Amino acid sequence: MKAEIITIGDEILIGQIVDTNSVYISKELNKIGVSVYQITSIQDDKEHILEAFAAAQSRVDIVIITGGLGPTKDDITKHTICEYFNDELVFNQEVLDHITYLFKEFVKKPLLEANKTQAFVPSKAEVLTNRFGTAPGMWIELNQTIFISMPGVPHEMKGIIEYEALPRLQKRCKLPFIQHKTFLTYGMGESAIAARIETFENELPETVKLAYLPSLGRVRLRLSSQGNDKEVVEKAIAQQTKKLLPLIDDIFEGYEEEGSFEENIAKMLVTQGKTLAIAESCTGGNLVERFTAKPGASKYLKGSLVTYATQSKIDILDVDPAVIDKDSVVSAKVAEQMAVNAKKLYRSDIAISTTGNAGPTKGDSDVEVGTVFIGIATESGVESHKFMMGNHRERVIGKTVNKSLELLKKTLID
Amino acid sequence: MKAEIITIGDEILIGQIVDTNSVYISKELNKIGVSVYQITSIQDDKEHILEAFAAAQSRVDIVIITGGLGPTKDDITKHTICEYFNDELVFNQEVLDHITYLFKEFVKKPLLEANKTQAFVPSKAEVLTNRFGTAPGMWIELNQTIFISMPGVPHEMKGIIEYEALPRLQKRCKLPFIQHKTFLTYGMGESAIAARIETFENELPETVKLAYLPSLGRVRLRLSSQGNDKEVVEKAIAQQTKKLLPLIDDIFEGYEEEGSFEENIAKMLVTQGKTLAIAESCTGGNLVERFTAKPGASKYLKGSLVTYATQSKIDILDVDPAVIDKDSVVSAKVAEQMAVNAKKLYRSDIAISTTGNAGPTKGDSDVEVGTVFIGIATESGVESHKFMMGNHRERVIGKTVNKSLELLKKTLID
């Protein structure tokens, strides 16, 4: 089964928002064996929407539409759906009851006329309940193609996908099994890896695909396969994994499907009964944010001291000003003192620190832009590592966060 | 002039990466008067790429292609371009010289065979130099349509867009003027705003479009217009701005085009010669990260104490344990003490604090999930505000960050 996602709304096309909805939908569809063939973002324009619907219908079995279902006038999706399906809007009492309930319980304001219009849905559509908002989701079938239309507000869309769309798709369609296995590697570039695994790649069976995904100092290698027989697919992936793994043994960090670095670190900390503290300079809160983004961080995370100003490193983290004078604020000794003192202040078992110059200018230290030191303090002592992360600010920060997580994981394994 | 962006690569379609490239490209094209008509994401599949090229050519004047130009085998864009344009790859000495230079200066490793193949480009293409990587950008014209192909690695793509593609497009095409004006509002929902400005919206001239963009407790209203005469476009937007502004006077925060909340706060702090410190609990580093994401933060930002664990609030932020016992860790008094003590520790002029329960479970406090207190300490004292942010973890964090920025701006204005 192939799907196309159509996102409607000018805001994506003028670069005002990032299309995270499609990422979520693609991931969820893949899990149940629907492969996404195309993602199409178009404007709130009737003719263009009609054209995109027809093109998608000619290509795929399932068309997922997000956006353009709000109560305001720039949202024309519902009327365009009526035109495409030669249908008309009819009043739906159940939807109005749901909207009335949401207003009473959560909005705590009187219902507006604009909201009442949301109770009108195309007569050929089945309603997909929107638990978190007033615009209903819709399911319409036409000549073997399933159209699912949802509002673009992310948490409303997610609720409809999870509770309504996915269970119905699984019931309605005979879905194949899809498996991806993604190998996280570090310390080697895309071309060098490709040269090393060339024979493996040439010998891959047609049923297994390999992709290279480079990002912020790491390359991920993804093997993919699909088929109707789960066992056959799993066996194909397992066989190729067995061949690939010894070739990348020295640069292999783990499988992405088994969790991100930070998720694995969190698990290891909880299992080992250890707590973590962080002291950040150049990463400016990005490192701690990786941990607090997921619930449950309070089980192992004490917190992070973001000491951006040099004086704050002295005042709060008790870094020796003489060391800063002698070695500069971007130095091994400062990274080490930051880690040791964060560990002490937070009374944690492990502490990690970052100090560096992300650029574009040099700041309080004379070191070259891109120079970063990462310190790690544990019960058995402190160590620090120096890295040159290039001269692109965002990438220096991203690569430093990645490298910190790698070092932290290594520390927990040792 | 209309453009379509085609992104090639399975990683977007299986939900493994977010397509931030299209956001960047759309924003940059809009600035020079090229409107993006469609964004299409497709797989690394020859037939599909050919089909997408043809469809785009029938719709738009400029086709921007990203992805699929790496040195590895899953990247088939270049060969498919040759097929589409009935062309062949020819060796380009200048490209090889550039690749050799990059390897010598930055990679500091010997050139690989896979990299040498990158010096082959379609004979009909003009090379767009890739300053930050080995895969060259390409410019090919066919029947009045311009095709621009670039690698998908974000910073490489950005370099080609900025230094090569945009200047050439401006030289080659007669471009209209596009203006967007985006009104940041707060404290009122989409439907309520729509009801209030209904007459305004009905009376809008055809040349001006209005869009509602709701996100994390705020609604942005965007007026857009385009035309060949810059003055006419600017006048149309100015006229409608004059009509709209009095209608939303009480909920208006500023124009998005004049900078984000954090950028405006940064400017105000620098102008007023004030420094900022942050103490974060439930926002877990997200608040400080908004400031450190942009260079120059060290001019006004002292840092942030992310005290995630309750004990850390006592140990590091000197919050009174008796107050935590009596009022709970999510309370007005704790928020106030966090702000006051962060101000003291960092020796800043202003400090802002967040403490709340982002969920999904209750944690160290018995307050309802979604309860958040924000504290602000200044030279003239301390205050705190209570908010109910709903029960969706990510949204609680996002809305708390937004609300903190709003309060901070208000403090700086007063």
Side-chain angles (χ1 to χ4, degrees), chain A residues 16 37-41 48 72-73 191 201-202 222 256 284 292 303-306 315 346-347 393, chain B residues 16 37-41 48 72-73 115 190 201-202 222 256 284 292 303-306 315 346-347 393:
Chain A
Q16 207 156 24
Y37 186 70
Q38 178 161 328
I39 301 170
T40 307
S41 292
H48 197 179
T72 57
K73 304 213 164 164
S191 306
E201 196 172 351
N202 288 335
R222 190 188 63 229
E256 186 169 79
T292 58
S304 177
L305 287 157
V306 185
D315 290 349
Y346 276 113
R347 301 197 228 164
R393 184 179 172 83
Chain B
Q16 209 157 20
Y37 186 70
Q38 179 161 327
I39 300 171
T40 307
S41 292
H48 197 180
T72 56
K73 303 216 167 164
N115 295 110
E190 188 181 0
E201 195 171 351
N202 288 335
R222 189 188 64 228
E256 186 169 79
T292 57
S304 177
L305 287 157
V306 184
D315 289 349
Y346 277 112
R347 301 197 229 163
R393 183 178 173 85

Side-chain angles (χ1 to χ4, degrees), chain B residues 155-187:
Chain B
H155 71 291
E156 296 185 17
M157 176 280 296
K158 285 181 187 173
I160 295 173
I161 285 282
E162 186 181 344
Y163 298 111
E164 302 283 334
L166 296 181
R168 273 176 203 240
L169 284 172
Q170 283 179 301
K171 227 168 136 183
R172 172 80 176 68
C173 313
K174 188 170 156 39
L175 298 170
F177 180 73
I178 296 184
Q179 196 185 4
H180 301 290
K181 194 150 197 171
T182 310
F183 301 72
L184 302 167
T185 74
Y186 66 99

Side-chain angles (χ1 to χ4, degrees), chain A residues 153 155, chain B residues 184-190 193 213-220 251 253 261 388-389 395-396 398-400 402-403 406:
Chain A
V153 184
H155 71 292
Chain B
L184 302 167
T185 74
Y186 66 99
M188 187 176 276
E190 188 181 0
I193 297 177
L213 311 167
S215 169
L216 293 172
R218 292 183 190 158
V219 177
R220 295 174 296 169
I251 55 169
E253 265 292 328
F261 265 89
M388 298 306 295
M389 299 297 196
R395 287 174 59 78
V396 171
K399 283 158 107 175
T400 305
N402 278 353
K403 191 48 82 180
E406 286 165 19

Side-chain angles (χ1 to χ4, degrees), chain A residues 208-270:
Chain A
V208 179
K209 282 182 83 179
L210 171 71
Y212 294 78
L213 311 167
S215 169
L216 293 173
R218 291 183 192 158
V219 176
R220 296 175 295 170
L221 300 173
R222 190 188 63 229
L223 292 178
S224 310
S225 188
Q226 63 168 295
N228 291 324
D229 190 334
K230 191 179 166 200
E231 258 178 60
V232 173
V233 171
E234 284 180 339
K235 205 175 153 196
I237 292 284
Q239 274 173 343
Q240 298 310 318
T241 299
K242 216 170 146 188
K243 282 177 73 180
L244 176 57
L245 218 43
L247 301 174
I248 55 168
D249 184 43
D250 53 327
I251 55 169
F252 177 66
E253 265 293 327
Y255 300 109
E256 186 169 79
E257 289 76 13
E258 290 175 5
S260 62
F261 265 90
E262 51 271 31
E263 282 167 338
N264 287 324
I265 290 167
K267 268 182 226 157
M268 289 166 88
L269 284 166
V270 171

Side-chain angles (χ1 to χ4, degrees), chain A residues 268-270 272-278 297-303 343 346-352 377-379 408 412, chain B residues 309 312:
Chain A
M268 289 166 88
L269 284 166
V270 171
Q272 297 181 19
K274 285 183 180 157
T275 56
L276 173 70
I278 305 170
S298 53
K299 284 194 199 98
Y300 61 87
L301 178 70
K302 294 283 191 171
K343 181 174 176 300
Y346 276 113
R347 301 197 228 164
S348 67
D349 301 304
I350 301 170
I352 187 160
T378 62
E379 284 135 51
L408 204 48
L412 287 165
Chain B
S312 307

Side-chain angles (χ1 to χ4, degrees), chain B residues 198-211 222-226 232-244:
Chain B
E198 194 181 355
T199 313
F200 165 81
E201 195 171 351
N202 288 335
E203 288 172 0
L204 269 178
E206 266 195 25
T207 51
V208 180
K209 283 182 82 179
L210 171 70
R222 189 188 64 228
L223 293 177
S224 310
S225 187
Q226 64 166 293
V232 173
V233 170
E234 285 180 339
K235 206 175 151 194
I237 291 285
Q239 274 173 344
Q240 298 310 320
T241 299
K242 216 170 146 187
K243 282 176 75 179
L244 176 57

